[in-house]
């Protein structure tokens, strides 16, 4: 198997795990691309896809209205979700979208933003330099597999339901059966939308800070350090004290693939330094204080402490990863939910321990042209 094909296969396997752990039953409800909109402050709106872990995961959009136009942060991980955000914007103002900001390179935040360029003239797309490097490299080419994923995936889900087994071969519990059934209900809508995804290159990139004047509003785009990627940026509204973080913060369970714990903790601390009143995570519930961010910092620092102690004790690297203990934090994230416990294990514990080792060894988390 060629290296790039191996990468694509790994990505598709991750999609299977995500779906198996994350889809929530929505019989008779809206499709998975329908966000719920909330005005956070006058002219500042969020569009949160309900039931964050439902497959496919979709990043939250935040948009800011002014007399000059609209600035959108993470405008849609799919064309259909982007179109629904655009429809909401048009219901609120006749001003055009002038800027779309991409928080990081993961497709569930940007594979649909090409729809803004088709609907509005002269839209500027803004991203961190590293994000654009990924957009220009081979790493993002997992998008090429999207058009064929759902038919194959649908067949695996149907087989699992017929045999009473999850994708990992274990017996399927009742709550997981409901999630599999929801995937089948949504499959045709998802397949149609997966056939529309596109990579949209940034027209403006920056390294540390970029300010936008939109009417009387000042909107700051800040790189505060590595988090979910090496190019995560946040949108900060200093007057309203609102920060949109992308996947630096995800609720209720963080996404920890390739997330270096020491750097992440430092970045989270800088978010706290903003003294925000409202925090919009990349996925999940909007936060109105810093208690959840503090929990993330506490967890990351504890993982660093354990990792460094194991290394100092000369524990074999592979054993060290398996010996990092997350149990002290589990119920604080999961609340005792069996469903969230699966998610905590697959999307947080295992990848975070692996990322902790990579950070210790100085290995880059992701390379734009990784093969």
């Amino acid at each position: 198997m060629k290296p790039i094909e191996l990468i694509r296969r790994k990505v598709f396997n991750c999609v299977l795990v995500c779906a198996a752990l994350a889809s929530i039953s929505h019989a008779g409800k809206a499709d998975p691309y329908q966000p719920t909109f909330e005005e956070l402050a006058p002219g500042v709106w969020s569009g949160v896809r309900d039931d964050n872990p439902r497959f496919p995961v979709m990043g939250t959009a935040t948009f800011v209205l002014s007399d000059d136009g609209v600035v959108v942060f993470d405008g849609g991980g799919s064309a259909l979700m982007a179109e629904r955000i655009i429809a909401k914007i048009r219901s609120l103002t006749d001003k055009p979208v002038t800027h779309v900001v991409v928080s990081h390179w993961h497709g569930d935040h940007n594979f649909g933003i090409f729809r803004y360029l088709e609907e509005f003239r002269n839209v500027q797309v803004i991203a961190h330099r590293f994000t654009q490097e990924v957009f220009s490299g081979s790493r993002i080419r997992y998008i090429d597999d999207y058009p064929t994923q759902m038919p194959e995936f649908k067949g695996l889900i149907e087989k699992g339901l017929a045999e009473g087994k999850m994708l990992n071969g274990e017996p399927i519990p009742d709550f997981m059966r409901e999630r599999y059934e929801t995937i089948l209900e949504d499959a045709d809508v998802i397949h149609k939308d997966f056939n529309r995804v596109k990579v949209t290159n940034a027209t403006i990139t920056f390294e540390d800070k970029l300010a936008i004047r939109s009417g009387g509003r000042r909107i700051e785009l800040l790189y505060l350090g590595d988090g979910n990627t090496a190019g995560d940026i946040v949108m900060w509204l200093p007057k309203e004290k609102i920060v949109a973080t992308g996947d630096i913060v995800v609720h209720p369970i963080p996404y920890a693939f390739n997330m270096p714990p020491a750097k992440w903790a430092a970045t989270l601390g800088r978010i706290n330094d903003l003294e925000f009143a409202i925090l919009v995570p990349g996925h999940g519930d909007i936060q109105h204080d810093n208690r959840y961010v503090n929990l993330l910092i506490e967890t990351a620092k504890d993982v660093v402490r354990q990792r460094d102690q194991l290394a100092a004790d000369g524990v074999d690297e592979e054993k060290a990863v398996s010996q990092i203990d997350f149990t002290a934090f589990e119920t604080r994230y999961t609340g005792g939910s069996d469903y969230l416990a699966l998610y905590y294990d697959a999307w947080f514990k295992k990848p975070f321990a692996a990322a902790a080792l990579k950070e210790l060894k100085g290995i880059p988390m992701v390379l734009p042209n990784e093969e």
Side-chain angles (χ1 to χ4, degrees):
M1 182 177 290
K2 295 179 180 179
I4 191 64
E5 292 173 349
L6 179 60
I7 291 170
R8 291 171 179 170
R9 174 54 53 187
K10 287 180 178 178
V11 171
F12 182 55
N13 287 341
C14 179
V15 171
L16 298 184
V17 172
C18 295
L21 296 179
S23 184
I24 291 177
S25 181
H26 271 68
K29 296 186 179 180
D31 65 60
Y33 299 105
Q34 182 61 58
T36 295
F37 295 99
E38 178 183 353
E39 189 172 23
L40 306 176
V44 182
W45 288 79
S46 68
V48 181
R49 208 288 303 280
D50 289 345
D51 298 311
N52 158 39
R54 183 181 179 183
F55 178 75
V57 295
M58 281 285 116
T60 293
T62 306
F63 53 91
V64 184
L65 312 179
S66 81
D67 291 339
D68 286 351
V70 183
V71 176
V72 180
F73 184 82
D74 281 353
S78 76
L80 186 53
M81 188 163 178
E83 287 160 0
R84 286 170 174 164
I85 296 163
I86 290 168
K88 181 62 178 180
I89 290 170
R90 283 178 164 154
S91 76
L92 298 169
T93 180
D94 59 1
K95 300 296 182 181
V97 172
T98 59
H99 302 80
V100 177
V101 183
V102 179
S103 68
H104 64 294
W105 64 267
H106 294 164
D108 56 304
H109 291 257
N110 59 74
F111 278 172
I113 65 171
F114 68 90
R115 291 292 293 119
Y116 293 86
L117 279 66
E118 293 175 348
E119 294 293 327
F120 301 99
R121 297 180 62 186
N122 304 317
V123 175
Q124 298 295 313
V125 178
I126 303 175
H128 190 269
R129 175 193 54 78
F130 178 82
T131 298
Q132 178 54 40
E133 287 181 4
V134 176
F135 285 170
S136 300
S138 62
R139 181 78 182 194
I140 200 67
R141 295 326 311 170
Y142 72 86
I143 193 176
D144 296 339
D145 289 332
Y146 267 50
T148 61
Q149 281 183 4
M150 280 312 298
E152 179 180 348
F153 189 25
K154 184 178 179 180
L156 292 173
I157 295 296
E158 289 172 336
K159 184 174 184 290
L161 286 170
E163 296 178 352
K165 295 180 180 180
M166 295 193 295
L167 296 180
N168 61 8
E170 295 179 0
I172 198 167
D174 288 342
F175 74 89
M176 190 63 73
R177 178 175 291 276
E178 293 177 357
R179 289 159 175 76
Y180 275 30
E181 290 170 348
T182 298
I183 294 172
L184 294 183
E185 293 172 5
D186 294 339
D188 291 343
V189 172
I190 295 170
H191 178 57
K192 183 176 180 180
D193 215 53
F194 273 15
N195 276 275
R196 302 170 67 196
V197 293
K198 292 182 182 179
V199 176
T200 302
N201 289 308
T203 57
I204 298 173
T205 62
F206 70 98
E207 295 278 349
D208 298 312
K209 181 177 180 178
L210 179 68
I212 300 173
R213 283 287 183 183
S214 184
R217 293 187 184 275
R218 178 179 174 85
I219 301 169
E220 297 180 4
L221 306 175
L222 309 173
Y223 170 72
L224 299 177
D226 292 8
N228 201 230
T229 78
D232 289 353
I233 59 177
V234 307
M235 181 174 71
W236 171 236
L237 306 178
K239 180 180 179 181
E240 296 83 1
K241 296 290 184 182
I242 296 173
V243 62
T245 66
D247 286 0
I248 299 171
V249 179
V250 170
H251 182 271
I253 308 292
Y255 298 170
F257 292 94
N258 294 307
M259 188 156 65
K263 291 181 178 179
W264 183 44
T267 301
L268 291 165
R270 297 182 191 107
I271 290 175
N272 267 348
D273 289 343
L274 295 174
E275 298 183 348
F276 60 85
I278 297 174
L279 182 148
V280 183
H283 304 257
D285 295 341
I286 293 170
Q287 306 294 301
H288 296 273
D289 55 48
N290 66 357
R291 286 179 294 176
Y292 184 68
V293 174
N294 288 340
L295 172 60
L296 299 177
I297 294 171
E298 182 184 353
T299 309
K301 287 184 174 180
D302 188 70
V303 168
V304 171
R305 177 191 61 78
Q306 292 187 62
R307 177 200 67 188
D308 292 353
Q309 185 61 57
L310 288 165
D313 292 343
V315 176
D316 176 82
E317 291 176 354
E318 294 300 322
K319 291 182 179 179
V321 169
S322 64
Q323 289 179 22
I324 295 176
D325 187 1
F326 290 81
T327 55
F329 298 96
E330 182 164 348
T331 58
R332 296 171 67 182
Y333 286 99
T334 69
S337 163
D338 290 339
Y339 156 63
L340 288 180
L342 288 173
Y343 195 31
Y344 185 76
D345 183 69
W347 274 19
F348 188 50
K349 285 172 53 178
K350 292 179 179 178
F352 202 34
L357 180 61
K358 289 176 72 174
E359 182 182 49
L360 180 66
K361 298 169 71 173
I363 300 172
M365 295 291 127
V366 167
L367 296 173
N369 291 293
E370 189 170 2
E371 295 190 1

